[in-house]
């Protein structure tokens, strides 16, 4: 063996044996700059804030038989693992190689780099590989900063496909066709943007629309004005718009009540943290009743359900809301609280203080199990709510054994819990699930005693389509009775835009 060959072998052996010691270990501060985008980046922020990890910033080989205690963060270094890491591994904007003898006791998350793993390697936790994450790493005062590469929105952005919205079908407007888009001045301070939405409603054969002008001083703060005419519903939480339109067109069942609203508002929004949005607004609204129309349905009754009237008048009020959403591995938690106040002594025709709270939790567990919780509460805290602020429950989506939206009033409480067992998939809420659901709710007026109704449902769900049977007290005699139902259901609850 030549002297040169022996020297190269010696250097290679030393690299494999002491490589881990050559990388800096936990002595450097690492922070995330800017606002994280998406679930993976938010998870990275939480990982960095815990500061329970070792940092490697040099090309390193972890030899077979060598172990690293705890979590490992890899920045600016191509790392090859042939030994063991006794925690999670996070890799940002570099290449990561997991050799046949390598073992990771926790999860592996690779963001913006390359991941090359042997099939013989062991990862005890989950593996998440996102090569397209726009993350960059730069040194900073003896430490490192991870930041999301800024990607400005387009100067012109159209909604949906070429600006066209999905058609809406409902009993007060028949078909609604919509088109909209947003224009931005990216080179102007505060990046002003104007959003335009145009709608044509075939029932009254009228055009209507809305405008929203916003300024964006920073990624976390924006303010602007909004104006327009819309068709509003307080039951939008029950199911998505396209699902409600589909049910109405096929069966004639419209699970919303409506009113017309002309509105002008000034609003400001800010995000103190990525998962929290705070919004304040001052608003004028004029409400009008809408009548149900004689529209065509495929298999429904000859006449559609009447639409309740509202109290025509002007509302001048202010509102504030806080929304929270956190998405992790196998879980999603969302909550919101909103307060709205109006005073006829100042302006307008109505005086009230209205409150609303929503909560949603969706969690999957090992061995094909999942749990979903949802709750909503609305009501008057002071004054008298006009009927355009009333809410209703009943029918598929809430309490299937009751007639559609048969419980209505200024106060509402509703809660449900769903247990899922996945027939296919690694956790609950897979592509095919068996469901057990319990629901409880009531809507009532001030001075009345709330009458809570309960339902228990058994169903099978495939790709969001549910087929099952619900059991609840009969409206005649109080005995429990069953009702078969067909529904399209996805996770619901407050969700940040």
């Amino acid at each position: 063996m030549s002297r040169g060959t022996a020297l190269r072998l010696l250097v290679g052996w030393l690299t494999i044996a002491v490589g881990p010691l050559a990388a800096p270990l936990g002595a450097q501060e690492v922070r995330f700059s800017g606002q994280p985008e998406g679930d993976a980046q938010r998870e990275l922020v939480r990982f960095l804030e815990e500061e329970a990890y070792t940092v490697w910033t040099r090309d390193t080989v972890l030899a077979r038989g060598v172990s690293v205690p705890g979590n490992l963060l890899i920045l600016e270094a191509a790392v090859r693992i042939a030994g063991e890491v006794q925690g999670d591994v996070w890799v940002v904007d570099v290449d990561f190689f997991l050799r046949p003898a390598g073992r990771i006791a926790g999860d592996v998350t690779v963001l913006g780099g390359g991941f090359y793993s042997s099939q013989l390697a062991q990862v005890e936790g989950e593996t998440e590989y996102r090569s397209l994450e726009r993350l960059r790493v730069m040194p900073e005062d003896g430490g490192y900063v991870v930041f999301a590469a800024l990607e400005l929105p387009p100067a012109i952005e159209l909604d949906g496909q070429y600006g066209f919205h999905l058609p809406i079908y409902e009993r007060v407007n028949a078909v609604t066709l919509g088109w909209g888009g947003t224009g931005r001045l990216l080179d102007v301070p505060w990046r002003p943007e104007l959003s335009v939405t145009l709608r044509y409603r075939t029932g009254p054969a009228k055009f209507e629309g809305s405008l929203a002008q916003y300024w964006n001083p920073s990624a976390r703060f924006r303010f602007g004005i909004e104006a327009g005419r819309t068709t509003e519903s307080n039951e939008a939480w029950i199911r998505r718009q396209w699902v409600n339109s589909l049910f109405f067109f096929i069966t004639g069942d419209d699970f919303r009540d409506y009113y017309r609203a002309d509105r002008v508002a000034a609003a400001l929004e800010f995000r103190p943290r990525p998962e929290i949005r705070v919004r304040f607004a001052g608003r004028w609204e004029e409400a009008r009743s809408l009548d149900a129309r004689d529209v065509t349905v495929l298999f429904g009754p000859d006449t559609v359900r009447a639409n309740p009237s509202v109290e025509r008048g002007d509302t001048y009020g202010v509102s504030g809301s806080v929304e929270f959403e956190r998405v992790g591995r196998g879980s999603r938690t969302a909550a919101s609280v909103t307060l709205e106040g109006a005073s006829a002594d100042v302006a307008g025709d109505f005086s009230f203080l209205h409150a609303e709270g929503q909560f949603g939790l969706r969690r999957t567990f090992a061995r094909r199990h999942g749990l979903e919780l949802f709750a909503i509460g609305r009501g008057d805290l002071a004054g008298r709510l006009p009927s355009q602020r009333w809410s209703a429950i009943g029918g598929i989506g809430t309490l299937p054994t009751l007639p559609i939206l048969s419980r209505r009033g200024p106060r509402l409480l509703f809660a449900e819990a769903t247990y899922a067992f996945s027939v296919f998939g690694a956790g609950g809420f897979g592509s095919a699930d068996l469901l057990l659901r319990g629901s409880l709710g009531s809507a009532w007026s001030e001075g009345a005693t709330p009458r809570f109704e309960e339902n228990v449902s058994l169903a099978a769900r495939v790709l969001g389509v549910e087929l099952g049977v619900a059991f609840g007290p009969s409206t005649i005699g109080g005995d429990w009775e069953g009702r078969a139902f067909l529904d399209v259901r996805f996770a619901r609850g407050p969700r940040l835009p």
Side-chain angles (χ1 to χ4, degrees):
M1 180 184 299
S2 67
R3 179 180 299 178
T5 301
L7 181 60
R8 285 193 295 271
L9 289 175
L10 177 61
V11 172
W13 181 86
L14 289 174
T15 300
I16 294 175
V18 303
L21 303 179
L25 303 177
Q28 299 154 316
E29 178 184 358
V30 182
R31 68 179 183 89
F32 193 99
S33 177
Q35 183 174 348
E37 299 291 340
D39 304 341
Q41 293 186 22
R42 286 191 283 267
E43 286 290 324
L44 174 61
V45 171
R46 285 191 282 271
F47 177 80
L48 296 178
E49 291 175 346
E50 292 176 357
E51 298 183 348
Y53 51 82
T54 297
V55 184
W56 286 7
T57 58
R58 298 178 187 172
D59 293 353
T60 305
V61 176
L62 183 66
R64 182 196 297 256
V66 180
S67 178
V68 176
N71 301 323
L72 178 61
L73 174 63
I74 301 173
L75 309 172
E76 289 198 329
V79 171
R80 292 164 172 81
I81 299 290
E84 179 182 5
V85 178
Q86 299 176 359
D88 297 335
V89 176
W90 282 81
V91 183
V92 180
D93 196 28
V94 290
D95 292 335
F96 178 58
F97 302 84
L98 191 55
R99 291 183 167 176
R103 179 181 178 274
I104 310 299
D107 301 328
V108 173
T109 307
V110 181
L111 304 180
F115 181 39
Y116 309 94
S117 176
S118 168
Q119 294 183 352
L120 299 178
Q122 300 181 48
V123 178
E124 300 296 332
E126 298 181 2
T127 299
E128 188 168 6
Y129 175 38
R130 299 198 177 195
S131 61
L132 300 180
E133 287 288 330
R134 296 175 56 84
L135 294 175
R136 298 294 181 265
V137 179
M138 293 185 63
E140 178 188 66
D141 299 330
Y144 289 86
V145 56
V146 179
F147 64 93
L150 180 61
E151 183 176 2
L152 293 176
I156 298 178
E157 183 176 11
L158 299 179
D159 300 343
Q161 294 293 324
Y162 303 103
F164 292 99
H165 301 178
L166 283 175
I168 297 173
Y169 197 54
E170 56 199 11
R171 69 188 191 280
V172 296
N173 290 311
V175 178
T176 299
L177 305 175
W179 182 92
T182 300
R184 303 180 178 92
L185 298 178
L186 301 178
D187 297 328
V188 176
W190 293 4
R191 298 205 322 269
E193 62 182 48
L194 176 65
S195 298
V196 179
T197 301
L198 301 175
R199 290 177 290 268
Y200 178 71
R201 305 195 184 276
T202 62
K206 291 182 179 181
F207 284 96
E208 63 181 45
S210 58
L211 297 173
Q213 169 71 68
Y214 272 88
W215 290 265
N216 301 272
S218 71
R220 295 192 176 187
F221 176 72
R222 68 196 299 252
F223 65 93
I225 55 176
E226 303 172 353
R229 170 173 290 182
T230 61
T231 298
E232 294 293 325
S233 174
N234 296 325
E235 289 74 46
W237 58 272
I238 296 178
R239 52 165 34 99
R240 301 182 184 184
Q241 178 67 75
W242 70 268
V243 176
N244 191 70
S245 296
L246 181 65
F247 266 79
F248 181 59
F249 177 66
I250 297 176
T251 67
D253 293 333
D254 191 346
F255 294 86
R256 297 185 179 189
D257 292 329
Y258 305 93
Y259 69 95
R260 175 68 46 78
D262 293 334
R263 288 176 174 172
V264 177
L268 61 88
E269 303 173 0
F270 68 95
R271 295 178 181 265
R273 296 181 60 87
E275 64 270 21
I276 299 175
R277 184 181 76 147
V278 181
R279 175 182 169 92
F280 296 100
R283 184 173 66 183
W284 164 81
E285 175 188 283
E286 183 184 23
R288 300 179 184 180
S289 299
L290 292 172
D291 294 327
R293 298 179 179 274
D294 185 14
V295 294
T296 301
V297 295
L298 292 182
F299 305 108
D302 295 333
T303 58
V304 299
R305 183 171 59 88
N307 188 59
S309 61
V310 300
E311 300 175 47
R312 183 168 182 173
D314 295 334
T315 300
Y316 288 85
V318 295
S319 64
S321 63
V322 179
E323 296 176 311
F324 169 85
E325 182 180 52
R326 172 169 290 178
V327 180
R329 288 187 177 91
S331 67
R332 169 184 168 265
T333 304
S336 70
V337 177
T338 302
L339 290 175
E340 179 191 11
S343 174
D345 295 333
V346 177
D349 301 309
F350 307 109
S351 298
F352 60 84
L353 179 61
H354 179 234
E356 175 188 305
Q358 291 192 43
F359 173 80
L361 171 67
R362 187 177 177 92
R363 178 72 183 271
T364 58
F365 304 94
R367 298 182 181 177
R368 303 176 181 268
H369 302 278
L371 178 67
E372 180 180 309
L373 304 176
F374 174 77
I376 180 173
R378 289 175 172 167
D380 49 325
L381 301 182
R384 185 186 67 85
L385 283 184
S387 54
Q388 52 264 36
R389 294 293 186 273
W390 288 20
S391 303
I393 58 172
I396 299 171
T398 55
L399 298 164
T401 62
L402 295 182
I404 297 174
L405 302 187
S406 57
R407 301 289 187 268
R408 189 169 188 268
R411 299 176 179 179
L412 177 142
L413 285 174
F414 175 79
E416 68 177 16
T418 303
Y419 162 76
F421 176 79
S422 286
V423 181
F424 301 108
F429 305 107
S431 59
D433 308 318
L434 299 178
L435 307 176
L436 173 62
R437 177 181 295 127
S439 307
L440 177 71
S442 180
W444 70 99
S445 300
E446 181 182 4
T449 301
R451 177 186 171 188
F452 285 94
E453 306 282 353
E454 63 272 8
N455 275 188
V456 176
S457 303
L458 301 173
R461 177 161 61 192
V462 178
L463 299 177
V465 179
E466 292 186 10
L467 179 63
V469 60
F471 300 91
S474 170
T475 56
I476 301 176
D479 297 329
W480 278 56
E481 65 177 11
R483 178 185 177 185
F485 66 88
L486 175 66
D487 196 7
V488 178
R489 176 76 72 91
F490 300 91
R492 64 184 177 188
R495 182 177 289 273
L496 299 185

